[in-house]
Amino acid sequence: MDHGDRETVEARGREIFEARFLDLARTTDRMFAGLMAAQWILGIAFAVWVSPRAWAGMSSQIHLHVFAAVLLGGAVTAVPILLALIKPGATLTRHAIAVGQMMTSALLIHLTGGRIETHFHVFGSLAFLAFYRDWRVMMTATAVVALDHGARGVLWPQSVYGVSMVQAWRFLEHTGWVVFEDAFLCFSITKGIKEMRGLALQQAQLEEGARSIERKVVERTEELAETNRKLVESERLRSEFLANVSHELRTPLTLTLSPIESILAGDCGPVLDAQERLLRSVHNNSVRLLQMVSSLLDFSKLEAGKIEVRREPTPILALTRQIFSDFQPLMHQRGIRGELAELPEETVVDMDRYLYEKILFNLLSNAVKFTPKEGNVCLSMRLSEDSLRIGVCDTGIGISRADMPKLFQKFAQLEGSSTRRFEGTGLGLALVREFAGLLGGTVSVESAPALGSTFLVDIPARRVQAPSAPVRPSTAPLQRYASLPRQTEKAHDSASDALPRVLVAEDNSELALYISDLLGGFCQTRIARDGEEALELVKSWAPILVLSDVMMPRRDGLSLCRAIKADPATLSIPVVLLTALTYRDAMLQGWEAGADEYIYKPFHPKEMVTRIRAMVANIQERRRIEGALEAKARALARSNADLEQFAYAASHDLQEPLRKVTNFTELLKERYQGRLDADADRFIGYAVDGAHRMMTLIDSLLEYSRVGNAERRTEPTDLVAMLKRVVADLELRVKDSGARVTWDPLPTVSVDPLQMSLVLQNLIGNALKFRGEQAPVIHVSAERWEDGWLLRVRDNGIGIDPKHASQLFTMFRRLHSRRAYPGTGIGLAISKKIIERHGGRIWVESSPGAGATFCLTLPTQEKETTHATAHRHIIG
Amino acid sequence: MFAKNEISFGRTLVPAALALWIGICLAGFKVVLDYEGTPGVAASAPERWPAETRFASGGGRSSLVLFAHPHCPCTKASLESLAWIAARAPRTLDAYVAFYRPSGAADWDATPLIASARAIPGVRVLVDENGAEARRFGAETSGQALLYDAKGRLLFKGGITGARGHTGDNVGRNAVLALADGSLVQAPESSVFGCSLLKSIPERASAKARWGIAEWTTAIAKR
């Protein structure tokens, strides 16, 4: 303990001592309060009992001792009790108590007639006052005794000593006995105080010790927290390291495996046998290295608890067949017969396909590895209601009984005579057991040396009805070179503009060049060394497809993918992510970033070429179709425009000669009617009528083409005012037909007023025209419709058969004879065109004989309002 | 151990309150002391042993007569002194206690005080009917002691307690014993402390009179 700590402990010791001393003083105060109250009552009782009355002859009165016991006793007792209650523990309180207690002794001595026995009350009180462990209190009490005897010895010696004349030292004799007792009591008090201080110091030391331990605990906790933080950081770095290792190891392995596979497949010309043997040796070892890397990565993930079980509906038979078929080339190469037996019907089960693939891959890999030439490897599968049993049996070297316990241990290489012939990390079967455990399953093995082994894996697998995703290619690295098709594509000039553009984003320049070389046969490629460069090229070079690595400097593949998919200009460009990360989180990240396809490293060159070629072909076909559609749309629009222009021009140009025909025909009729025969008159009449109809028709056509050509000028238009004008224009026909036109409150809408007026004119005109036997009743209403207005023009006319409703708005389509209902058959076509140009729609709701309601929608423009007219408007 | 805010309180009100308290107590004690230290009316005793008295005298021994009020609580201390004297001079002293009994007072001859007197060895207790003996010997205060020698001469008159109702060492008690055995010739003056023996206090007397304050005042003035 250093000096500072010692001072702290001593200070704390003093604090504890003072607290305890105070506690003791308070306790003693309370005890004295009770004692003094009891003494007072006893004094009164004694006075009443011993000297209740004073006599004089035959008369008596209450004795003064009774009053003294009550009043003086009360006065003596009251103040100490009061202080003990309101100021317990205070120094003043205990000194007041000492004074009061000694005065009580004096009073009691008086009440008892100065009995010697009562004097013991003084000594008892001193002993009791020693409870305070304060020698000053003893001095106060002693001073009271000394003063009492001293004063009385001078003033009333007889009351103390029984004689009138007394020597001065007599009071010292009496006081001396008190001091005698005080000496012992003060000695005891000093000793007690010393012990109290010692105990307080001990407690302070204990507390300091406890605090010291607590500080150490806190420091240790902080250290542990720091260690934990470092562990978390270390774990994060480990994960990052694993991801990097995965990437860094797989990339060169890809560069090793893929070219060798290409050479072995004969892509670079014939391979000599000796060369092939060497190449296969290189290839086999590369594949084994890849498998080891994969196993180690899986193991690391498992150890870190980062493998989560994610079951999904999986067509288990198809998946199993696919994995098995991936091994067949290897088995074929090794002269092993592979057999699929006891396969159930295709069933969709709830299964984590990643873990299932790993289990099956490791079991098959193990079986193939330990089975000699001409041996057998058999895969069987049995499916019950809620579980799945996979059996992988081989006729390999088998496992001795002694080696069985070590079989599923991590990194355990069985020490058989042929052990070293079979390379591996010793993790494969350990991973099988761990993955089976994750799936809630078990692994068992039966084996006999030299006869072979049978591994049985039982996994819970619930049958599900949900449709499953198509079987994706296995993520496991497999040897496939035995089935390599020959690459027929020849390298093309990648700068050729005629070929589709594919951007390769890959920071490993060798791999990038290799990929570029692979794709060079059917597309032109450019290489971006990082994500930023790739993004710039996507914008400036406009590739039709982007093949991107995931881990790249400046901007990774996921970010690049997101950026491409976020830009509407590049949204349609497919992105294929090329990655060494095979575990699911990386895959999911890729899909979530918007990737269209995923190709795993190491990839088979042919597989990549085939997939990219297919995608490019699809894109080209899609673009071709889109281009054709666009061209057709453009041609159609041009044609429409031409047609409208033609209609306008034709109508306009026809007007002039027709006007002449009409004028002269009317002149002919006017001048020669009745001069020719009846047939001639009738023919002239036909000609005039036809010319008029022709004029009307041409006017309508002109109007129709104007609607298409004219620039639409919208402005806020009060539909009520417009309706009133239209009705005013049709006033003659309204009156003739006895029609009544009414409307609800109508909004102010942003429309081309001339065109909208034409629509209303057509609709109301039709309603007047196609009336039934009753006078027409036409009502116009408006209501909110999606983001605009819905107008209804309802009449009580002859109605329309619903089957003809769709033809109603077609130009020149007439549902009645011209004779019955004259007209050009263009009005509703014009109305439809106007409404559509306003972004709305028009249709009719009707049935024969029940009137018709023409409905038209108008999208809301800004600053539109509704006139909440309180009254219904009627004109008619 | 006062806190700071208590110091100002302690400097002003507390000493004043304590002084008041102590002053009240001292005043109370002074009243008690005055009461206890105020002597009663001394006897005007005859110098010679009265012949008509009922007490027997002579026989070569001194006679000590103590007049007592049977209800006076202060007289208990006088009886204790008498017992102390009787115990020390059984052969030289004839001791009598005369308890006053007014005529017609039924219960005045069976008080605890009379019982106490009867219990003192060698002491003869008489009932002084109507105070005849007290008047004969001029005694007016309970606790009045008179000592006559064998020849009937008055040796001592006074009290044998130091104060009213106060037991213990005192001048009167010591003087009686010394006079009885002849070791003292000249009797010292000794006040008598006790209740008034014969004279009743009028019902309507003033408080001062009732409490004997007048007597205290006189006594203090004399001192």
Side-chain angles (χ1 to χ4, degrees):
Chain A
M1 194 184 290
D2 60 23
H3 182 68
D5 287 345
R6 192 175 296 117
E7 279 188 349
T8 308
V9 169
E10 284 173 358
R12 174 60 186 150
R14 284 193 293 276
E15 194 182 324
I16 293 168
F17 168 76
E18 282 167 11
R20 287 184 180 173
F21 189 85
L22 184 64
D23 187 50
L24 178 69
R26 283 175 176 165
T27 306
T28 312
D29 283 347
R30 282 193 288 273
M31 287 165 66
F32 263 110
L35 175 70
M36 294 185 81
Q39 288 172 164
W40 181 42
I41 292 165
L42 283 172
I44 294 169
F46 187 83
V48 170
W49 178 48
V50 173
S51 49
R53 300 186 75 79
W55 287 80
M58 290 182 71
S59 63
S60 70
Q61 60 195 9
I62 294 171
H63 199 283
L64 183 80
H65 278 184
V66 175
F67 289 102
V70 174
L71 298 177
L72 182 56
V76 165
T77 304
V79 171
I81 287 178
L82 186 69
L83 284 172
L85 292 177
I86 63 172
K87 288 279 180 193
T91 309
L92 176 70
T93 302
R94 56 180 173 272
H95 283 278
I97 284 173
V99 172
Q101 183 66 13
M102 299 324 285
M103 287 199 290
T104 303
S105 294
L107 180 63
L108 289 175
I109 288 168
H110 280 292
L111 295 180
T112 57
R115 296 176 69 84
I116 289 294
E117 292 83 350
T118 315
H119 283 73
F120 286 102
H121 187 271
V122 174
F123 299 103
S125 295
L126 286 172
F128 198 177
L129 287 169
F131 279 23
Y132 280 115
R133 299 200 179 184
D134 184 354
W135 61 270
R136 296 172 194 83
V137 172
M138 311 304 296
M139 295 303 104
T140 300
T142 306
V144 171
V145 174
L147 285 171
D148 173 60
H149 283 70
R152 284 166 63 187
V154 174
L155 299 174
W156 303 284
Q158 204 169 329
S159 69
V160 186
Y161 309 113
V163 290
S164 304
M165 299 297 290
V166 69
Q167 291 88 348
W169 56 267
R170 282 297 299 274
F171 95 94
L172 291 177
E173 183 191 358
H174 283 239
T175 309
W177 288 110
V178 175
V179 173
F180 178 72
E181 187 185 358
D182 283 345
F184 296 102
L185 291 174
C186 285
F187 175 74
S188 172
I189 285 168
T190 310
K191 203 167 167 50
I193 289 290
K194 196 174 176 183
E195 283 175 2
M196 274 178 74
R197 286 189 189 279
L199 286 171
L201 191 62
Q202 280 178 8
Q203 187 178 332
Q205 285 167 344
L206 283 172
E207 286 178 1
E208 178 58 24
R211 270 196 299 277
S212 174
I213 291 169
E214 201 173 322
R215 274 197 301 273
K216 281 179 183 165
V217 167
V218 169
E219 284 169 13
R220 194 82 189 107
T221 306
E222 284 171 0
E223 282 173 17
L224 283 171
E226 177 63 16
T227 308
N228 191 43
R229 193 188 60 72
K230 284 179 181 170
L231 278 172
V232 170
E233 177 64 12
S234 167
E235 178 61 24
R236 189 189 66 75
L237 289 173
R238 194 175 82 132
S239 297
E240 204 174 294
F241 171 75
L242 284 172
N244 289 334
V245 165
S246 168
H247 181 261
E248 296 302 329
L249 290 180
R250 284 166 182 260
T251 301
L253 277 171
T254 304
L255 274 173
T256 309
L257 279 167
S258 299
I260 292 172
E261 286 175 355
S262 292
I263 295 167
L264 285 168
D267 294 348
C268 304
V271 181
L272 296 175
D273 287 347
Q275 290 172 330
E276 187 176 337
R277 276 197 300 279
L278 289 171
L279 284 170
R280 289 198 174 193
S281 174
V282 173
H283 183 266
N284 289 347
N285 281 291
S286 300
V287 169
R288 273 198 284 278
L289 186 58
L290 195 60
Q291 288 174 356
M292 288 180 203
V293 169
S294 297
S295 295
L296 281 169
L297 287 173
D298 278 340
F299 175 69
S300 299
K301 299 288 287 180
L302 192 66
E303 288 286 288
K306 288 192 173 174
I307 293 185
E308 291 176 25
V309 178
R310 290 181 187 174
R311 290 179 179 268
E312 58 182 316
T314 305
I316 201 69
L317 186 61
L319 182 61
T320 308
R321 279 183 189 281
Q322 182 185 314
I323 296 166
F324 188 77
S325 69
D326 284 345
F327 275 90
Q328 277 182 326
L330 181 60
M331 289 193 277
H332 178 70
Q333 179 211 344
R334 293 199 169 184
I336 298 169
R337 283 188 298 281
E339 187 187 350
L340 270 170
E342 288 188 45
L343 295 180
E345 289 181 357
E346 180 60 283
T347 308
V348 176
V349 297
D350 201 23
M351 177 59 68
D352 185 310
R353 55 177 298 139
Y354 177 81
L355 296 180
Y356 181 78
E357 283 175 14
K358 289 285 179 184
I359 290 169
L360 204 53
F361 172 81
N362 278 312
L363 287 177
L364 286 172
S365 177
N366 203 53
V368 170
K369 185 161 72 173
F370 291 102
T371 301
K373 195 173 182 181
E374 297 186 353
N376 289 325
V377 171
C378 177
L379 172 64
S380 62
M381 187 168 72
R382 198 175 297 166
L383 198 61
S384 68
E385 191 57 38
D386 55 359
S387 71
L388 171 71
R389 164 171 279 199
I390 312 161
V392 176
C393 65
D394 61 60
T395 54
I397 60 170
I399 305 153
S400 69
R401 187 170 292 276
D403 286 334
M404 282 288 188
K406 294 189 284 185
L407 195 61
F408 293 103
Q409 286 179 8
K410 293 159 190 168
F411 304 108
Q413 294 277 8
L414 300 186
E415 292 296 327
S417 58
S418 58
T419 302
R420 301 322 308 163
R421 286 187 287 128
F422 303 102
E423 295 175 344
T425 55
L427 283 172
L429 288 177
L431 287 174
V432 166
R433 191 181 65 173
E434 296 291 340
F435 288 166
L438 282 175
L439 289 170
T442 56
V443 187
S444 59
V445 62
E446 291 174 6
S447 183
L451 290 177
S453 309
T454 300
F455 286 84
L456 294 172
V457 182
D458 290 293
I459 310 169
R462 192 168 46 86
R463 292 173 190 236
V464 290
Q465 297 298 324
S468 65
V471 179
R472 294 193 295 271
S474 167
T475 57
L478 298 172
Q479 291 170 291
R480 300 192 187 100
Y481 68 87
S483 60
L484 272 179
R486 290 189 173 275
Q487 187 170 340
T488 54
E489 289 76 17
K490 298 298 173 195
H492 285 231
D493 178 9
S494 65
S496 170
D497 284 341
L499 293 173
R501 295 173 175 180
V502 173
L503 175 65
V504 178
E506 168 64 61
D507 58 327
N508 184 312
S509 56
E510 286 179 65
L511 185 59
L513 284 171
Y514 177 67
I515 294 168
S516 179
D517 217 27
L518 286 174
L519 304 181
F522 58 95
C523 58
Q524 53 172 323
T525 56
R526 285 186 72 168
I527 294 168
R529 285 182 297 277
D530 58 59
E532 283 297 333
E533 190 183 343
L535 193 56
E536 285 170 17
L537 280 172
V538 164
K539 289 172 181 168
S540 60
W541 190 51
I544 66 162
L545 185 139
V546 176
L547 180 62
S548 172
D549 188 14
V550 170
M551 298 172 75
M552 288 188 295
R554 292 175 70 195
R555 183 190 279 272
D556 65 22
L558 297 173
S559 173
L560 173 65
C561 188
R562 282 190 207 102
I564 290 170
K565 297 298 177 186
D567 187 349
T570 57
L571 173 66
S572 61
I573 300 174
V575 178
V576 179
L577 288 178
L578 183 65
T579 183
L581 303 175
T582 57
Y583 46 87
R584 252 174 316 203
D585 289 343
M587 287 162 61
L588 284 173
Q589 281 176 356
W591 300 124
E592 283 166 8
D596 296 270
E597 189 58 274
Y598 232 107
I599 294 178
Y600 306 104
K601 293 176 186 177
F603 52 83
H604 188 280
K606 183 64 186 168
E607 180 192 343
M608 168 180 268
V609 166
T610 308
R611 287 169 76 175
I612 299 295
R613 184 201 291 279
M615 288 185 79
V616 166
N618 280 341
I619 296 161
Q620 284 182 310
E621 179 61 16
R622 196 185 72 209
R623 290 200 168 189
R624 191 186 63 74
I625 291 168
E626 284 172 359
L629 279 172
E630 274 179 25
K632 276 189 179 175
R634 276 197 301 274
L636 198 60
R638 201 163 47 241
S639 170
N640 277 341
D642 291 348
L643 194 62
E644 283 178 4
Q645 189 61 37
F646 168 75
Y648 177 76
S651 307
H652 190 267
D653 293 348
L654 282 174
Q655 265 192 330
E656 184 54 32
L658 187 60
R659 194 172 296 118
K660 282 184 181 173
V661 170
T662 308
N663 289 342
F664 283 106
T665 317
E666 284 181 345
L667 197 62
L668 191 66
K669 185 182 177 184
E670 194 179 304
R671 288 189 180 176
Y672 299 102
Q673 190 165 24
R675 296 187 187 178
L676 303 174
D677 58 15
D679 285 344
D681 285 347
R682 199 169 66 249
F683 294 155
I684 289 170
Y686 288 151
V688 170
D689 187 41
H692 277 290
R693 277 195 289 112
M694 191 67 167
M695 279 293 285
T696 309
L697 190 61
I698 285 173
D699 283 342
S700 297
L701 272 173
L702 198 56
E703 195 63 46
Y704 183 81
S705 60
R706 274 188 193 137
V707 169
N709 290 328
E711 187 182 347
R712 188 165 62 91
R713 289 178 184 166
T714 59
E715 58 185 69
T717 306
D718 180 2
L719 288 181
V720 174
M722 177 178 280
L723 185 61
K724 284 178 179 172
R725 281 197 302 273
V726 168
V727 173
D729 289 346
L730 296 170
E731 188 181 2
L732 200 60
R733 290 176 62 188
V734 170
K735 282 188 176 172
D736 286 349
S737 60
R740 197 158 55 105
V741 182
T742 62
W743 59 88
D744 287 340
L746 298 175
T748 294
V749 293
S750 192
V751 292
D752 184 324
L754 288 174
Q755 293 186 353
M756 194 62 205
S757 176
L758 195 59
V759 171
L760 288 177
Q761 201 164 355
N762 282 335
L763 294 179
I764 293 172
N766 273 1
L768 293 171
K769 183 162 65 179
F770 296 102
R771 63 174 179 269
E773 294 183 356
Q774 297 172 344
V777 176
I778 304 163
H779 182 72
V780 182
S781 63
E783 62 186 74
R784 276 283 175 191
W785 173 263
E786 294 177 355
D787 57 345
W789 291 98
L790 170 65
L791 297 185
R792 293 177 191 275
V793 180
R794 193 181 71 229
D795 64 46
N796 59 343
I798 58 171
I800 302 152
D801 193 333
K803 67 183 179 185
H804 300 308
S806 61
Q807 305 166 11
L808 203 61
F809 300 96
T810 309
M811 201 183 287
F812 305 125
R813 181 69 66 183
R814 301 178 60 89
L815 301 180
H816 307 279
S817 68
R818 187 177 296 120
R819 189 177 301 277
Y821 296 99
T824 60
I826 295 177
L828 286 178
I830 291 173
S831 299
K832 181 170 185 276
K833 193 165 188 175
I834 289 170
I835 294 302
E836 284 176 351
R837 276 173 63 82
H838 279 81
R841 226 155 43 82
I842 185 167
W843 69 95
V844 66
E845 294 169 355
S846 178
S847 57
T853 302
F854 283 86
C855 304
L856 52 100
T857 62
L858 289 170
T860 304
Q861 308 292 325
E862 288 180 5
K863 296 180 182 174
E864 288 185 359
T865 56
T866 303
H867 287 294
T869 314
H871 304 288
R872 194 177 167 94
H873 297 263
I874 302 173
I875 289 181
Chain B
M1 290 185 189
F2 284 111
K4 281 184 179 176
N5 61 342
E6 292 171 328
I7 290 173
S8 58
F9 174 76
R11 282 179 180 172
T12 53
L13 287 176
V14 170
L18 285 176
L20 180 65
W21 173 54
I22 290 171
I24 289 170
C25 291
L26 288 177
F29 276 111
K30 185 176 181 306
V31 169
V32 173
L33 283 170
D34 282 348
Y35 178 74
E36 289 175 354
T38 302
V41 179
S44 51
E47 291 296 319
R48 303 290 302 180
W49 181 265
E52 56 274 27
T53 180
R54 289 168 55 205
F55 303 123
S57 173
R61 298 201 302 183
S62 301
S63 298
L64 177 63
V65 182
L66 182 72
F67 292 92
H69 193 295
H71 290 295
C72 175
C74 320
T75 305
K76 186 169 175 54
S78 298
L79 288 179
E80 284 182 17
S81 288
L82 178 62
W84 185 86
I85 293 166
R88 280 160 182 77
R91 291 178 186 171
T92 57
L93 197 66
D94 289 326
Y96 302 96
V97 180
F99 280 101
Y100 165 65
R101 185 173 73 176
S103 57
D107 56 343
W108 279 52
D109 51 0
T111 66
L113 202 63
I114 295 173
S116 296
R118 289 189 200 281
I120 302 170
V123 172
R124 275 173 281 182
V125 176
L126 298 174
V127 173
D128 183 15
E129 290 290 346
N130 235 353
E133 292 293 342
R135 286 192 184 87
R136 194 167 290 136
F137 281 92
E140 295 207 28
T141 303
S142 179
Q144 178 72 58
L146 299 172
L147 179 67
Y148 289 87
D149 63 9
K151 294 177 181 173
R153 289 176 300 192
L154 180 65
L155 293 179
F156 173 82
K157 63 170 182 179
I160 51 174
T161 59
R164 191 162 179 164
H166 210 86
T167 58
D169 194 18
N170 65 85
V171 176
R173 188 187 69 176
N174 297 340
V176 168
L177 186 62
L179 288 168
D181 64 11
S183 58
L184 183 69
V185 178
Q186 183 66 43
E189 191 175 326
S190 174
S191 300
V192 58
F193 298 98
C195 300
S196 177
L197 192 60
L198 305 173
K199 196 182 288 176
S200 295
I201 302 169
E203 284 298 318
R204 292 184 175 275
S206 68
K208 199 173 174 183
R210 286 177 67 83
W211 286 104
I213 293 171
E215 293 170 18
W216 304 343
T217 314
T218 310
I220 290 164
K222 279 181 184 172
R223 256 187 285 171

